[in-house]
Amino acid sequence: MQVEGKVALVTGGAEGLGRAFTEALLEAGAKVCFCDVNTEQGESTYTVLKSKYGSDRVIFQKCDVSNQTEMEGKSLNYLFRCTKETFGNIDIVCNNAGIGGEKPPLWGKVVDVNVKGCICGTLLALDYLSTEKGGSGGVIVNISSAGALNINPYGPVYLATKSAILSLSRSFAQNPLACSGGVRVNVLCPSFAETSLVRNISEQNTYDVNVARKFVEHTPSMSPKDVAEAFMELVVDESKNGAVLKCSKEKGKQYCTINVTYS
Ligand SMILES: NC(=O)c1ccc[n+]([C@@H]2O[C@H](COP(=O)([O-])OP(=O)(O)OC[C@H]3O[C@@H](n4cnc5c(N)ncnc54)[C@H](O)[C@@H]3O)[C@@H](O)[C@H]2O)c1
Ligand SMILES: CCCCC[C@H](O)CC\C=C/C=C/C=C/[C@@H](O)[C@@H](O)CCCC(=O)O
């Protein structure tokens, strides 16, 4: 895919990986709408990106991806509509927004944001991108986790949501609306990257913060820019559909095949 001139939508773009994805897309010549639940950080990031790339190429919208109805303010439905009205089309969608947490009552919000938000964003993306629905095709990249390819006793809820994103994306990649609508669906599985999500691991969102922190300390972390390089490969390479791309500091990029063995 030639990214120059294309239109992208990124959720959770105010900081961390989402900001890196947004900047990589802008650097490649795309127009980008990014959203975030954190208005202050979103506006701050928007100010920086607007001055670097121009107000005609980047917009920020406050949006909570777990908000499924317009009644509660800026929903994903509103975000997609606003992006199309502003830029005329949508070609690339990155469902990135995500949070961590394991204990009640936080875990329910983790499922709402990570799973429902990604499902809603993927369904809307198919509606807007599929040529079967008046779109011009394109690519959806959903953000899972390397943890979804393993098991981790200290993050069962978070990794369950990331595993759900993995299965959802691989399944949608074979869905008729995607296949006959010229839409590729890929999933990125980063290992640890230096972001607030990892820095903020605490008693409130883990079972054993010391174990979780030791795990992080013993796993070399990538920069968000490293992860964005893997993300852009899934966007640009039109041979990639249903691809599962793991990326880590130690081993770089690894495409994964997922087989289930029966005993
Ligand atoms: N950092 C890592 O090590 C790592 C590894 C693998 C996967 N991931 C995944 O990458 C994604 C981004 O994580 P990150 O590390 O950049 O985290 P981060 O906390 O640094 O950034 C997440 C961004 O999403 C926003 N956000 C949170 N909830 C939202 C909601 N309901 N609606 C809209 N925006 C919302 C936050 O405000 C923040 O700006 C997540 O899905 C995470 O699970 C992160
Ligand atoms: C891996 C620790 C799990 C803790 C889960 C809790 O819900 C806390 C959530 C807060 C931060 C989570 C960071 C998770 C990052 C993962 O997406 C990923 O980097 C883990 C990869 C581990 C691996 O390489 O196997």
Side-chain angles (χ1 to χ4, degrees):
M1 172 188 267
Q2 175 65 27
V3 176
E4 175 86 27
K6 291 294 193 298
V7 176
L9 185 156
V10 178
T11 68
E15 66 171 298
L17 298 186
R19 173 166 179 168
F21 301 152
T22 299
E23 291 196 66
L25 288 160
L26 286 165
E27 203 56 41
K31 298 173 185 172
V32 184
C33 172
F34 73 94
C35 84
D36 208 289
V37 70
N38 184 335
T39 310
E40 186 182 350
Q41 186 60 53
E43 291 294 354
S44 168
T45 297
Y46 170 66
T47 302
V48 171
L49 298 181
K50 179 177 66 171
S51 62
K52 185 173 180 184
Y53 295 100
S55 57
D56 59 332
R57 289 191 51 214
V58 58
I59 54 176
F60 165 68
Q61 283 290 347
K62 174 180 169 56
C63 173
D64 176 348
V65 298
S66 66
N67 167 7
Q68 306 294 313
T69 67
E70 309 249 347
M71 311 298 281
E72 299 146 35
K74 301 285 172 55
S75 68
L76 271 172
N77 289 283
Y78 173 85
L79 180 75
F80 275 79
R81 191 169 65 247
C82 174
T83 303
K84 173 116 185 212
E85 285 168 0
T86 305
F87 289 132
N89 200 31
I90 303 176
D91 306 285
I92 302 160
V93 173
C94 177
N95 291 299
N96 162 75
I99 59 175
E102 299 297 324
K103 301 174 183 174
L106 185 54
W107 72 263
K109 184 69 178 173
V110 175
V111 174
D112 284 348
V113 173
N114 297 8
V115 181
K116 286 171 71 175
C118 187
I119 293 172
C120 187
T122 303
L123 290 171
L124 283 165
L126 287 171
D127 267 350
Y128 277 80
L129 274 62
S130 176
T131 54
E132 305 275 291
K133 297 251 183 156
S136 38
V139 61
I140 303 166
V141 180
N142 291 332
I143 310 302
S144 175
S145 162
L149 303 166
N150 310 317
I151 61 164
N152 187 312
Y154 298 96
V157 171
Y158 171 76
L159 294 179
T161 68
K162 294 289 130 175
S163 301
I165 290 170
L166 188 63
S167 296
L168 176 90
S169 306
R170 295 177 65 221
S171 301
F172 265 124
Q174 309 307 324
N175 178 289
L177 194 52
C179 296
S180 52
V183 182
R184 297 181 287 121
V185 187
N186 293 314
V187 56
L188 184 64
C189 297
S191 184
F192 287 117
E194 296 145 0
T195 70
S196 299
L197 177 74
V198 177
R199 285 192 291 270
N200 294 340
I201 290 181
S202 70
E203 282 294 350
Q204 281 66 46
N205 61 18
T206 47
Y207 282 109
D208 185 325
V209 65
N210 296 318
V211 171
R213 281 182 179 153
K214 276 203 181 68
F215 183 37
V216 173
E217 282 157 21
H218 289 117
T219 309
S221 285
M222 295 173 283
S223 70
K225 202 167 181 178
D226 295 335
V227 183
E229 197 256 321
F231 162 75
M232 288 302 288
E233 185 168 303
L234 290 175
V235 170
V236 170
D237 185 342
E238 292 183 335
S239 73
K240 296 294 183 282
N241 180 43
V244 178
L245 179 57
K246 178 182 176 182
C247 57
S248 68
K249 185 77 174 177
E250 294 160 297
K251 295 184 178 171
K253 293 177 284 186
Q254 298 167 285
Y255 283 95
C256 308
T257 51
I258 296 171
N259 298 308
V260 178
T261 53
Y262 301 92
S263 56

